[in-house]
Structure formats: structure tokens, C-alpha cells
Amino acid sequence: MSALMRYLYWLALLLPFHSIAVDYWQEHPLPAQWQQYLAASQQLLQQDEAAFATELGNSSAQLAVKHSEFGLTAITTAAEAEAVLSFQTPSGGWSKRTDMRMPRKPGQHYGSEPDYVPTFDNNATSTQLQWLADYYPHAPEPLRQQITLAIERGIALVIDAQYPNGGFAQSYPLRGDYHDAVTLNDNALYQLMQLLWQAAHDKRFAMLADNRKQAAKAAFYRAVDWLLANQVWVSGQLSVWGAQHHPLTGGPVAARKFEQASLVSSESAKLLQLMLQTVPDYPGVAASLAAGAHWLRQHQISGKTRYRDAQGYLSLADSPGSVIWSRFYDLQSGEPVFFDRDGKTYSDVSRLSLERQRGYGWYQSVAEEFLLAYDEYLTIHNE
């Protein structure tokens, strides 16, 4: 890569990932239940900000240390547990891309990115709660009490975050713009639904009060109802879901400019698999699974695999026996689509800028795992 191309590539990485500015809450008259939800979200955000301001006093805020994950893959020591606990916001969640190996200092931000404090994006909040639950049996008694309180607060936040119709935004308290869409992207909805199911049923969360477990169970089923109500119809046939859906109308919507409204393969497959594993007999789920599996089979790319050359250019290469899916599919035609940073849409990934070819997972194979599990399920239940 030439010096100029390297410069342009890194410059692009430093530019904001512009979204398509939207305020969902000004588009339609809001019923009282939604107005109450928004008021509660705003109040919680103000409480978080006030708590941090009190902690800060007259001092200057310190930056949180950025990390692509959290600096940890699990909690294995009391010191690590205490560090993770220190990053729980007053509202009960955690932030993404923040190093949590060392305890948060007084006056240090809870996260490295202000629009994600706290968030469910990039597995944040769900990951910390699962880590704490896993470590709980190994923790000394005083720390167990802190962990129990933290998990109670975290699960309460997730339950409070659920929209009145059962969906979840990317972050809560709400941050506005595309963050307020019901977010399947990067498996945000999947992670939250899995967490709720675990909180209600998994012995790892035995420390939760019974009423919290019941609330988590009810929230899980409301999310299932949201999925069944908003699976996208295309030409009279059920398909799958979009990466983001309008919180009120339920239709697929755009997020960042390289994430236009479209159907998604991987996130849809993960949610289908979760329903298959947990509630295959729930009313409406069988039809949803069958339609989703049919759509994924129709749209798989057979005999190909992704190939990236030394410069990062992306293409498909022959691979007999392999199957792969585009990340995004056009809402009407069902054909693979690829979006550049300027919002332009292409049917050929090679037409994207090199920065976007290198910086995004345009082809994925996650759906194969669901289809194998679904075939096995059908075989067992049709015997």
C-alpha cells in the first residue's frame, strides 16, 4: 500500500462514523406508556450524570482507558471482580471498549466513549453480569454480597430498559439518534435475551431474588413476542429481521451510513437459534423458525468462502462444500448489498472503498450453525 493510501486509510478511521440523524420520538404521537418510559430513561441519565458530578467535585475528569474488549476474558480473582464492579454505573450497567483490569479511580469516566455509558453494544453489560455470576461461587463472602447487589442492579437495568413493545435499544438510558432503534446489530438483542433467559433459569443466577427471576422471564417472553411481531414480510413471505428496527413502527431502519436498512443473516440466525433452544413450542415460534430457515437457505452462497488479499481487498473464492452469507440483503430484491461510508449502496463488495472493505465483516457464516441445529431438531421431532 502506498504512503498516500495508508494516510487516507488511517484518516478515514479517525473520521466519525456518521449516522443518518433521526429522532424517532418526534415522528409519531406517543401513548402514555411510551411517554413514561422516555421520562424514566431521562431521569436515570440525569441521575448518572449527577452522581458523577458529585464524585468529581472541582476536579477534572480522568479519561477511561480504551481497550478493544475489556482487558479480560473472565473474572478469575477477587481483584478482577472488584475492578469490574468499580466500572458499574450508578444506573447498573457497563460501557464498551473500556479496560476494566484495574479499578476505576474516583473521577474517572465509566467508559471510553461517551455515547455508550452504559450500553448493551459490543456485549457490554451482559458480559460483566455473566462474568460476575460465574465468579460468584469462588468469591469470599463479603465480595459475594457486593456481587449479588451488582447483579440485581444490572438485571433490573436490563428489565427497565425494555421498550413497552418488548424490544431493546442499543443503550439505556437512551442516548438518541440510531442508538434508540431496536438493535439486533452485533447481537445486542440476542445477548440481552440470552441473559434474561439465564437470569430466570440458570443456576449461575441463583443469587437473584425470585421476583427478579420472574421479571426476567416475563421480559424474555416479551422480547420473543417482539421478534414474532416484527419478522419482516417480503412479497407475502416471512423472511428474517433487520439490523435495526424502528422502536415504534417495527420496520427496519438505518444506523450509520454503511448500515442502511436491510435484512441481516447472522443476527437473525442467532435469534432463531435462541428461540429453537429455549421456546420452540411457544405459539408462533415454529412458523418463525421454518420461515427463517427457508430464507437463509434461499440466500446462502454455496461453494464460496471469503478471501482477503495482503492489501485487505475482499472477494469470494471457490471452496467446494462451503456456504457463506452476505451480512446484508436488500429489503425488496433479497440480493446481497454493501454500503460505503458515504451511504452509497453497491451489489459488489469490490466497489467499496478499501477502508470499508478492510473495516467490516461483509460475509459471514454464522447462519450455518442454526441451520444444522434446526435440521437436527426436525429430525428428532419427526421420528
Side-chain angles (χ1 to χ4, degrees), residues 269-292:
K270 292 289 284 186
L271 288 162
L272 289 165
Q273 187 161 12
L274 181 63
M275 289 195 291
L276 177 65
Q277 293 170 338
T278 57
V279 289
D281 298 324
Y282 187 72
V285 167
S288 175
L289 295 173

Side-chain angles (χ1 to χ4, degrees), residues 20-28 38 176-178 180 246 248:
I20 299 168
V22 62
D23 185 348
Y24 301 115
W25 315 115
Q26 299 300 318
E27 296 176 357
H28 304 276
L38 294 179
D177 205 358
Y178 75 90
D180 292 357
H246 195 292
L248 295 169

Side-chain angles (χ1 to χ4, degrees), residues 58-225:
N58 295 322
S59 304
S60 298
Q62 301 176 55
L63 297 176
V65 178
K66 197 161 188 173
H67 193 285
S68 59
E69 298 294 336
F70 306 107
L72 299 167
T73 57
I75 293 173
T76 60
T77 68
E80 290 174 347
E82 290 167 352
V84 169
L85 288 169
S86 73
F87 278 92
Q88 187 176 26
T89 64
S91 53
W94 282 265
S95 301
K96 70 172 185 174
R97 292 187 182 142
T98 301
D99 194 332
M100 299 183 185
R101 287 175 290 186
M102 299 296 293
R104 190 183 73 90
K105 301 173 184 177
Q108 184 179 21
H109 287 297
Y110 284 91
S112 64
E113 298 179 46
D115 283 342
Y116 298 92
V117 182
T119 189
F120 309 128
D121 194 35
N122 286 28
N123 304 333
T125 300
S126 57
T127 292
Q128 284 77 14
L129 289 168
Q130 288 162 342
W131 282 353
L132 290 167
D134 286 338
Y135 180 69
Y136 178 85
H138 311 287
E141 187 56 38
L143 188 54
R144 283 191 183 189
Q145 296 175 25
Q146 294 179 51
I147 290 173
T148 297
L149 291 173
I151 292 176
E152 285 277 359
R153 287 173 55 220
I155 297 298
L157 176 75
V158 172
I159 293 169
D160 290 344
Q162 189 171 39
Y163 281 139
N165 61 11
F168 284 91
Q170 186 189 59
S171 297
Y172 185 82
L174 300 180
R175 310 303 302 214
D177 205 358
Y178 75 90
H179 307 289
D180 292 357
V182 177
T183 303
L184 285 68
N185 194 44
D186 291 334
N187 294 318
L189 180 59
Y190 168 82
Q191 292 289 348
L192 291 174
M193 290 182 67
Q194 179 181 246
L195 176 68
L196 290 168
W197 181 264
Q198 291 168 342
H201 299 282
D202 197 316
K203 62 182 181 181
R204 291 185 299 162
F205 288 89
M207 77 290 288
L208 285 172
D210 287 343
N211 63 342
R212 191 77 70 201
K213 293 179 183 178
Q214 289 303 314
K217 182 178 179 180
F220 174 85
Y221 280 100
R222 286 195 296 272
V224 171
D225 288 338

